[in-house]
Amino acid sequence: MSRVRLLMAALFALLLSVQTMVSVPVALGQTETAQNPDLSVSLAVQERAAQGETVAATISIVNNSARLQTIVVKGVWLDPTGDAAITTRNGLLLPGQTVTRTIDYVVNEKCVPGIHELTVSVEGRGGASSAKAAVEIL
């Protein structure tokens, strides 16, 4: 299993494993977000990283509704060559619950230089919300 796939697996396992609110500062970087009324998703990564540096990906999912949400979380890591690592997990969010996680990834010599895109989408009863961020690997 590649490091990217391991990163994505760890990211979603940690994201859905703890059902408490955690305050984590959002990393600097590009982020774009689309929301449905019931679920909010945000994602942030630093703008650039070089070999040996650590990239921190911070994800937050918020249940804005007064109802328990059954969710499907899908993560896609796309490298500049077009190779994509896709991970999907199911979970539950309590009414008003926020789950925030930061996953660190060390850029190694196998990481392809260029723009890497990370997209996280969360689908619930009222539709999907997604967030996309990019990091340039030097």
Side-chain angles (χ1 to χ4, degrees), residues 56-136:
T58 301
I59 297 172
S60 290
I61 301 173
V62 181
N63 180 355
N64 299 315
S65 75
R67 296 170 34 170
L68 179 70
Q69 290 281 335
T70 300
I71 59 172
V72 177
V73 180
K74 180 180 178 182
V76 178
W77 181 285
L78 182 65
D79 74 21
T81 67
D83 187 26
I86 302 170
T87 303
T88 304
R89 297 282 190 263
N90 298 324
L92 296 172
L93 283 176
L94 300 172
Q97 181 181 12
T98 300
V99 176
T100 302
R101 299 289 176 271
T102 299
I103 305 300
D104 293 328
Y105 173 68
V106 177
V107 179
N108 65 24
E109 65 281 348
K110 294 179 184 177
C111 195
V112 178
I115 303 297
H116 292 247
E117 292 181 0
L118 178 59
T119 304
V120 176
S121 63
V122 180
E123 187 170 345
R125 171 179 350 204
S129 292
S130 64
K132 181 187 278 188
V135 60
E136 181 181 12

Side-chain angles (χ1 to χ4, degrees), residues 8-100:
M8 294 304 295
L11 176 76
F12 292 110
L14 285 174
L15 182 65
L16 296 175
S17 65
V18 178
Q19 296 295 318
T20 59
M21 183 172 177
V22 178
S23 276
V24 177
V26 174
L28 299 175
Q30 305 169 17
T31 186
E32 76 183 49
T33 313
Q35 308 301 339
N36 82 23
D38 293 336
L39 295 169
S40 299
V41 179
S42 65
L43 168 66
V45 297
Q46 62 204 57
E47 292 183 6
R48 292 183 185 85
Q51 277 189 0
E53 293 182 344
T54 300
V55 174
T58 301
I59 297 172
S60 290
I61 301 173
V62 181
N63 180 355
N64 299 315
S65 75
R67 296 170 34 170
L68 179 70
Q69 290 281 335
T70 300
I71 59 172
V72 177
V73 180
K74 180 180 178 182
V76 178
W77 181 285
L78 182 65
D79 74 21
T81 67
D83 187 26
I86 302 170
T87 303
T88 304
R89 297 282 190 263
N90 298 324
L92 296 172
L93 283 176
L94 300 172
Q97 181 181 12
T98 300
V99 176
T100 302

